[in-house]
Amino acid sequence: MTGTHPCQGAAKTAVRDQLLTARRRRPLPEVGTAARAIADHVLATDEVRRAATVAAYVSVGTEPGTTDLLDRLVDAGKRVILPVLLPDNDLDWAVYHGPTSLAPARRGLLEPLSTPLGVAAVATADVVLVPGLAASRAGLRLGRGGGSYDRALARVPVGTFTCVLLYDDELLADVPAEPHDRPVTAAATPGGVVRLTA
């Protein structure tokens, strides 16, 4: 990746490895309980209650689960758009129509079968829910390193509610960051929604 400071890149890799190892060790009952708590907190925010369109994602493995959250958003009358990973790691978006509207895709992901809306569709969302491995109190998000969400977040209008879904111990005082990293405005954990200050 051009412009990456080698020390920051190495620091990110080390922190990512630690966080991924901790996630793999989480007991499945804890993952399920955390997913329900996160869904409750996200759905209770004023931003989500007012939103017409919510950009979200389908969780994989021991990520904080989104299955329940996606269906509850649809039940609440929200238009939910989900990412479709493009060959260059950018994200297209398509409407979610329930669990039967998803199909297996590259990298073990599930993606919507509906017609793609284009990479700019994320800019139409009132709320953007994003995955991450950690976030800092200043709003810096540590992702998996592909840069997909940094590109997507760059298209989101300033002032949009952007929230990363994490476990409680993944909200850190600081995370390694690089100039291309895009901040988020909140983190939702099983313990609640924390407003972050960029």
Side-chain angles (χ1 to χ4, degrees):
M1 192 176 293
T2 54
T4 299
H5 190 279
C7 292
Q8 285 298 82
K12 277 186 167 183
T13 300
V15 173
R16 270 193 200 105
D17 287 348
Q18 291 169 0
L19 292 161
L20 285 166
T21 298
R23 278 197 177 174
R24 281 193 291 271
R25 291 179 178 154
R26 285 191 191 275
L28 284 180
E30 181 192 330
V31 173
T33 302
R36 287 186 291 279
I38 290 169
D40 289 344
H41 296 312
V42 167
L43 290 159
T45 63
D46 289 341
E47 291 90 349
V48 172
R49 283 206 301 260
R50 288 194 303 261
T53 297
V54 176
Y57 64 97
V58 181
S59 57
V60 294
T62 52
E63 281 185 329
T66 60
T67 308
D68 181 49
L69 174 59
L70 295 176
D71 292 335
R72 288 172 67 185
L73 285 166
V74 171
D75 290 346
K78 311 298 178 191
R79 176 177 177 258
V80 177
I81 60 173
L82 299 177
V84 176
L85 186 64
L86 297 172
D88 67 353
N89 276 350
D90 207 342
L91 299 177
D92 201 332
W93 298 85
V95 177
Y96 174 66
H97 295 290
T100 58
S101 71
L102 298 174
R106 294 183 306 133
R107 297 196 189 166
L109 300 173
L110 287 172
E111 294 179 347
L113 292 165
S114 50
T115 306
L117 304 169
V119 295
V122 69
T124 69
D126 305 296
V127 166
V128 181
L129 305 176
V130 299
L133 294 174
S136 72
R137 298 272 172 184
L140 291 170
R141 182 189 71 89
L142 181 66
R144 287 180 176 261
S148 302
Y149 274 91
D150 289 314
R151 282 197 256 180
L153 287 168
R155 299 181 181 109
V156 175
V158 172
T160 303
F161 183 67
T162 54
C163 183
V164 60
L165 309 187
L166 301 171
Y167 294 103
D168 291 312
D169 56 0
E170 295 170 344
L171 187 55
L172 308 174
D174 196 21
V175 297
E178 294 169 86
H180 65 264
D181 291 332
R182 297 287 172 161
V184 290
T185 60
T189 74
V193 174
V194 178
R195 308 291 167 154
L196 306 174
T197 52

